[in-house]
Amino acid sequence: MRFSSTEEYGLRCMLQMAKKGPTGTRTIVELAHKEALTSSYVAKIMSVLRKGNLVKSIRGQSGGYQLARPAEEINVNEVLEALSGKFFSREEYCSSAAPEHGACLHSMDCTIRSLWTGLNAAITGYLRKCRLSDLVGAEKDMDKWVGQSSEKTFVPMAQTGLETKKTKEETRVS
């Protein structure tokens, strides 16, 4: 899985503003310089974040952009969704059938849809726990946070030894 450059740099711009504090502002030029991006690209990102109500623009001599809420109240999932939408949308996935079929052939019983739904819940749940304020510290602090956050690890059913009786019987018949 990969995140887009817009998501990466948008999150980095949000982090730069979080480092300034709740009332600090950053200009597009400052953000571009801090992240080695073009001003036009940063302007595009900041526009999206403003429309997502994550930043507000401040006019005037000491203007720029400022977080719309304290960094403790903004989670990473909000930022990523503002920049590119939800990770997985059941409606979009199920409506993306091949045009010649008109509808998904597996709309009634789709194990892959269940997989994506579960993965979406795990990813968004994890990203909702992480606040911008968590990212302001040192990498070693974040490493500790990551270690504490991963409460459950996904283990495929086949590796748990909990296969169903029917599955074992089918294996013997083969």
Side-chain angles (χ1 to χ4, degrees):
M1 173 187 339
R2 295 177 190 255
F3 289 100
S4 71
S5 59
T6 301
E7 292 167 318
E8 170 79 18
Y9 294 126
L11 187 56
R12 289 185 178 280
C13 288
M14 291 292 288
L15 182 56
Q16 288 296 334
M17 289 187 299
K19 288 178 180 178
K20 273 289 219 184
T23 58
T25 59
R26 292 252 191 217
T27 65
I28 288 174
V29 173
E30 285 177 312
L31 290 168
H33 177 71
K34 288 272 189 190
E35 295 301 327
L37 300 169
T38 65
S39 293
S40 60
Y41 188 47
V42 172
K44 177 184 163 195
I45 289 171
M46 298 311 292
S47 174
V48 172
L49 293 170
R50 188 182 54 75
K51 289 175 185 168
N53 297 316
L54 294 170
V55 299
K56 54 187 176 184
S57 59
I58 308 296
R59 296 183 185 273
Q61 181 77 20
S62 59
Y65 284 90
Q66 185 178 76
L67 293 179
R69 298 177 307 220
E72 297 80 21
E73 296 178 16
I74 300 173
N75 68 58
V76 173
N77 192 65
E78 286 179 89
V79 176
L80 297 179
E81 281 189 2
L83 292 164
S84 62
K86 294 186 182 293
F87 169 71
F88 171 77
S89 167
R90 185 181 191 113
E91 295 77 25
E92 286 179 25
Y93 179 76
C94 293
S95 67
S96 64
E100 62 270 10
H101 295 296
C104 180
L105 298 174
H106 308 287
S107 62
M108 298 304 288
D109 185 24
C110 182
T111 55
I112 294 173
R113 180 178 53 225
S114 296
L115 172 69
W116 294 142
T117 301
L119 185 59
N120 181 62
I123 290 171
T124 56
Y126 187 82
L127 294 174
R128 283 182 183 140
K129 290 180 190 176
C130 184
R131 310 274 173 198
L132 277 181
S133 56
D134 296 323
L135 297 173
V136 172
E139 186 175 3
K140 64 180 177 153
D141 296 331
M142 192 61 194
D143 284 343
K144 289 178 190 172
W145 186 93
V146 169
Q148 292 171 356
S149 265
S150 54
E151 297 159 4
K152 293 185 178 180
T153 303
F154 174 75
V155 178
M157 192 70 137
Q159 292 179 4
T160 64
L162 298 174
E163 298 141 332
T164 63
K165 186 176 183 180
K166 183 178 178 183
T167 305
K168 288 182 180 177
E169 289 172 6
E170 289 172 353
T171 306
R172 281 189 225 141
V173 173
S174 299

